[in-house]
Amino acid sequence: MDRAAKLAREGVEKGEGGPFGAVVVHGGKIVGEANNRVLATNDPTAHAEILAIRAAAKKLKRFHLEGCEIYTTCEPCPMCLAAIHWAHIERVHYAMTRHDAAAIGFADADIYEAISSPRAPLLHLPNASAGAAFAAWQKKADRVQY
């Protein structure tokens, strides 16, 4: 956790993004690490957890990160939590809560509300071309399921 906190502080000092850092650990060793780089990249998805997962997947040469844990300076936002689940990371350790983040201006409450609401802003628009892409995937003999 200390390494994640150091990355977060360095990112803040460089003006790269908010006070968020993350490390992915496998077998007791850091295999991916990052600080938030939203401001540095103008990429709203450049959260520390996402970038650390990308680094770990690249280093381990696999997209499923079973056997890994992530240490992050804050409770993951919904996007990062989804990425953690997609990566099959087994455990999340976090220092500060989403409420702590909200207290300093990082409010994800509207996202949590939207995903739990039956009135989520999702509109189903069936499309034959999209259906064809799904069918092509299903027929692909050498597909790698993930």
Side-chain angles (χ1 to χ4, degrees):
M1 187 64 77
D2 287 336
R3 178 64 182 155
K6 183 177 182 188
L7 291 165
R9 181 71 182 259
E10 290 172 356
V12 167
E13 290 170 358
K14 292 177 187 175
E16 294 180 335
F20 309 106
V23 296
V24 176
V25 175
H26 182 261
K29 295 182 181 177
I30 294 174
V31 293
E33 63 179 31
N35 60 278
N36 181 288
R37 295 187 43 79
V38 169
L39 299 176
T41 61
N42 291 315
D43 178 354
T45 69
H47 290 199
E49 297 92 336
I50 300 289
L51 299 175
I53 288 168
R54 289 176 182 167
K58 184 175 182 178
K59 181 169 186 162
L60 295 175
K61 297 182 169 87
R62 55 189 171 105
F63 52 83
H64 281 164
L65 300 177
E66 290 97 347
C68 291
E69 298 181 52
I70 191 166
Y71 292 79
T72 180
T73 56
C74 191
E75 182 178 355
C77 74
M79 175 185 68
C80 292
L81 187 58
I84 289 164
H85 281 279
W86 276 112
H88 295 232
I89 291 175
E90 295 179 4
R91 187 167 289 124
V92 179
H93 307 268
Y94 63 93
M96 307 302 285
T97 69
R98 63 178 136 163
H99 306 291
D100 297 322
I104 62 168
F106 293 92
D108 300 330
D110 57 336
I111 300 171
Y112 285 104
E113 185 179 320
I115 60 178
S116 64
S117 170
R119 297 173 299 168
L122 302 172
L123 301 172
H124 182 219
L125 182 61
N127 179 279
S129 297
F134 272 56
W137 173 260
Q138 188 175 15
K139 291 177 187 175
K140 186 173 173 58
D142 62 342
R143 76 175 178 261
V144 177
Q145 200 65 46
Y146 59 96

